[in-house]
Amino acid sequence: MNIDRVRISGLFDTFDHDLAFQPGERIMIIVGPNGFGKTTTLRLINALFNQPISSLAAMPFREIEVSFDGETCLVVKQVPVSPQDNGDHLPLEVTCDRDGKTYDYRPRKDSVDDRALGVPISAIEEFIPSLDRIGAQRWLNLETGRTLDLAEVVSEFGEHFPTIIRDSQLSTPDWLKELLASVSVCLVSTERLTRHSRVSRPWRRSRAINATRTVKHYSDKLAEEIRKLIAEYGALSQSLDRTFPARLVSDRQQSSGSTDSLREDLRLIDQKRLDLEEAGILAREHTDLDIPDLGQVDEAQRSVLAVFAEDTNRKLAVFDELYKRVSVFKRIVNSRFIHKQVAVYEGGLRATRDDGHQVELTKLSSGEQHELVMLYELLFRAKGNSLILIDEPEISLHVDWQERWINDLEETAALSDFRAIVATHSPEIIGNRFNLSVELGNHLV
């Protein structure tokens, strides 16, 4: 399911914003003067899909309406709480029209019995490193900067708690959980170069807040992905090798295809392995595949080579998706950087100057780091059928890079199958793509 339109009424008690994707377009650019709510709009959409519903109660809007394809519409309103409510509910009302049915929900003020958690409160930050405890039942989310109470911690980090606790303590109805989970929403904020986490010091009772450059974090994540796929490749290779004799015998009756098609299959296998080595996904151990003169082999030998070719294709196909993304990543980055090149290898990302000297990723310029971080977000973190919210992509980017940015975004959106809402002040980002822009501020309350 895709998000087609977002209407926000009463933002700051002043603005009504109507954000709609143009037919056939994956990108929307929102523009407007400072103070008109570009960043707040992105944060509001992100909060609806990624944070506890209670977080919306403190945000400055009157109503948000999200329209999906398939004629589904979700509306969240801020409503007054009646004296008869006894303070049990949040000042929110949620309704949804879907498949000819109407659903409604009044969120309650969730409370969690700390005695039923299964873990002591003092241990929560030990197994959720992105939290830092700042009060008796208050935690700071180091990645988002939000302060959370216990119920919000259980809601936002529910996978860390026993299912029985998560389901029994928090009251979000299944239809709303399903709808919100149907679209993956990711916010790329302006504070994208640094990530914060908590570091425990065993020899001291105090804890330190560790600031890590995002570019280094993403390099490590890419290394993890490469190692995982290499392990998958190895496991599949062992499986195919074990069954090779049996499959060879069973496939003997099958045609091995023409000599020309087999020769082409073997050539493409050799090229694919070379491409993976050039991309940095496989170690450089390449020697040309020693392809025999197929005109001199008999039918039985061609059958053996055909099974070999099929097996090798299956093994190398493990890397297909990563290869596409790495290729685009390297091409875009290395067409931007001057006197430097970025390579991918088993350890992640590596930057070198033209003279061959390696440059620490954290020592790259802020513009270079912004480029790497945003591209990584779009190519490796974005999931299919997702909505990416990007705030001020122009930060630290040279004008020339800004002018080419929308083209890069369109390419990555098509590859990763996402839609994007971009908030910007930069006319260079927009370029001649005025058809994608939505100007905020034309509709006052």
Side-chain angles (χ1 to χ4, degrees):
M1 192 177 303
N2 288 309
I3 294 174
D4 288 333
R5 190 171 202 159
V6 178
R7 293 186 180 96
I8 300 175
S9 303
L11 188 66
F12 306 126
D13 290 323
T14 305
F15 304 109
D16 290 342
H17 297 324
D18 189 352
L19 314 177
F21 285 94
Q22 293 297 317
E25 298 290 354
R26 293 177 176 270
I27 298 169
M28 181 197 313
I29 306 172
I30 57 176
V31 297
N34 290 323
F36 277 55
K38 294 186 298 298
T39 297
T40 302
T41 294
L42 299 186
R43 289 177 176 170
L44 180 55
I45 299 170
N46 181 63
L48 174 59
F49 285 86
N50 291 320
Q51 295 175 9
I53 198 75
S54 59
S55 67
L56 298 177
M59 300 195 75
F61 76 105
R62 184 173 64 246
E63 178 178 308
I64 178 170
E65 176 185 315
V66 181
S67 299
F68 303 81
D69 53 15
E71 299 184 353
T72 297
C73 182
L74 176 69
V75 178
V76 181
K77 295 181 180 179
Q78 294 208 6
V79 296
V81 178
S82 67
Q84 292 78 22
D85 184 71
N86 297 320
D88 291 335
H89 291 87
L90 294 168
L92 297 171
E93 180 180 270
V94 184
T95 58
C96 177
D97 292 321
R98 186 177 188 184
D99 299 328
K101 298 180 180 179
T102 299
Y103 304 86
D104 59 83
Y105 167 53
R106 280 294 311 277
R108 300 180 65 88
K109 288 185 177 179
D110 286 319
S111 62
V112 174
D113 185 350
D114 60 331
R115 296 169 297 181
L117 282 177
V119 295
I121 283 183
S122 58
I124 287 177
E125 58 186 331
E126 299 301 328
F127 60 84
I128 309 178
S130 58
L131 295 182
D132 192 50
R133 192 177 180 189
I134 58 175
Q137 290 197 11
R138 306 289 286 179
W139 290 263
L140 176 66
N141 185 330
L142 297 169
E143 293 188 353
T144 65
R146 292 184 62 241
T147 299
L148 310 176
D149 60 25
L150 183 57
E152 291 172 324
V153 167
V154 175
S155 177
E156 200 161 324
F157 298 91
E159 70 275 9
H160 295 280
F161 296 91
T163 302
I164 188 171
I165 298 300
R166 184 171 65 252
D167 291 346
S168 64
Q169 298 289 344
L170 302 174
S171 58
T172 305
D174 290 340
W175 63 264
L176 182 56
K177 292 178 184 176
E178 179 188 351
L179 180 60
L180 296 178
S182 67
V183 179
S184 174
V185 174
C186 176
L187 174 63
V188 183
S189 71
T190 55
E191 301 296 326
R192 47 184 169 260
L193 294 191
T194 304
R195 299 173 62 90
H196 293 88
S197 61
R198 185 179 45 77
V199 179
S200 295
R201 296 172 174 172
W203 63 93
R204 295 174 57 185
R205 301 194 66 175
S206 63
R207 290 174 293 275
I209 304 303
N210 183 42
T212 304
R213 280 289 181 175
T214 307
V215 67
K216 176 64 169 62
H217 175 76
Y218 284 168
S219 175
D220 293 342
K221 286 293 184 183
L222 181 57
E224 289 178 15
E225 180 66 15
I226 293 174
R227 288 194 291 268
K228 183 183 77 173
L229 290 179
I230 289 175
E232 183 180 337
Y233 168 79
L236 179 58
S237 296
Q238 289 181 355
S239 174
L240 291 174
D241 291 348
R242 281 196 305 269
T243 61
F244 183 83
R247 288 183 294 106
L248 181 61
V249 172
S250 66
D251 291 347
R252 283 289 296 272
Q253 303 304 316
Q254 299 180 14
S255 172
S256 59
S258 70
T259 297
D260 288 342
S261 65
L262 179 57
R263 182 181 292 109
E264 179 65 8
D265 287 345
L266 293 173
R267 186 192 70 79
L268 291 175
I269 286 171
D270 198 39
Q271 183 61 51
K272 189 171 187 177
R273 189 183 297 275
L274 178 60
D275 290 342
L276 289 169
E277 292 175 5
E278 291 285 345
I281 297 172
L282 288 180
R284 288 184 176 273
E285 300 175 353
H286 183 77
T287 55
D288 290 342
L289 186 64
D290 189 5
I291 301 175
D293 182 356
L294 298 183
Q296 302 299 315
V297 301
D298 58 27
E299 180 66 26
Q301 291 170 324
R302 281 201 301 273
S303 294
V304 173
L305 289 173
V307 175
F308 165 79
E310 182 182 351
D311 283 5
T312 305
N313 269 321
R314 287 182 61 187
K315 296 173 187 177
L316 296 179
V318 167
F319 303 105
D320 282 354
E321 192 63 32
L322 180 63
Y323 173 75
K324 287 190 295 185
R325 297 172 192 278
V326 165
S327 298
V328 173
F329 180 86
K330 289 177 59 180
R331 175 172 53 78
I332 292 177
V333 169
N334 290 325
S335 70
R336 303 292 184 268
F337 285 19
I338 300 175
H339 304 306
K340 299 186 189 78
Q341 292 287 303
V342 173
V344 172
Y345 73 114
E346 189 176 348
L349 298 174
R350 178 166 48 207
T352 55
R353 297 200 306 259
D354 288 347
D355 60 10
H357 285 83
Q358 188 168 336
V359 181
E360 291 183 32
L361 295 175
T362 56
K363 297 296 178 62
L364 294 171
S365 73
S366 62
E368 291 167 333
Q369 290 188 49
H370 274 284
E371 184 76 8
L372 289 176
V373 166
M374 283 192 291
L375 273 176
Y376 187 93
E377 292 270 4
L378 301 176
L379 286 168
F380 299 103
R381 294 194 71 202
K383 303 175 183 177
N385 188 41
S386 60
L387 177 66
I388 311 298
L389 311 170
I390 308 173
D391 197 10
E392 298 187 26
E394 67 270 19
I395 293 176
S396 294
L397 299 189
H398 187 272
V399 170
D400 178 56
W401 291 15
Q402 294 181 39
E403 290 174 346
R404 292 190 275 176
W405 192 82
I406 282 292
N407 289 335
D408 296 342
L409 181 60
E410 288 183 316
E411 181 178 3
T412 55
L415 177 60
S416 297
D417 187 26
F418 64 79
R419 292 185 175 186
I421 300 178
V422 181
T424 183
H425 292 283
S426 169
E428 285 77 16
I429 291 286
I430 303 170
N432 61 357
R433 302 306 304 275
F434 296 106
N435 61 308
L436 303 178
S437 64
V438 176
E439 186 171 359
L440 304 187
N442 290 334
H443 304 284
L444 301 181
V445 175

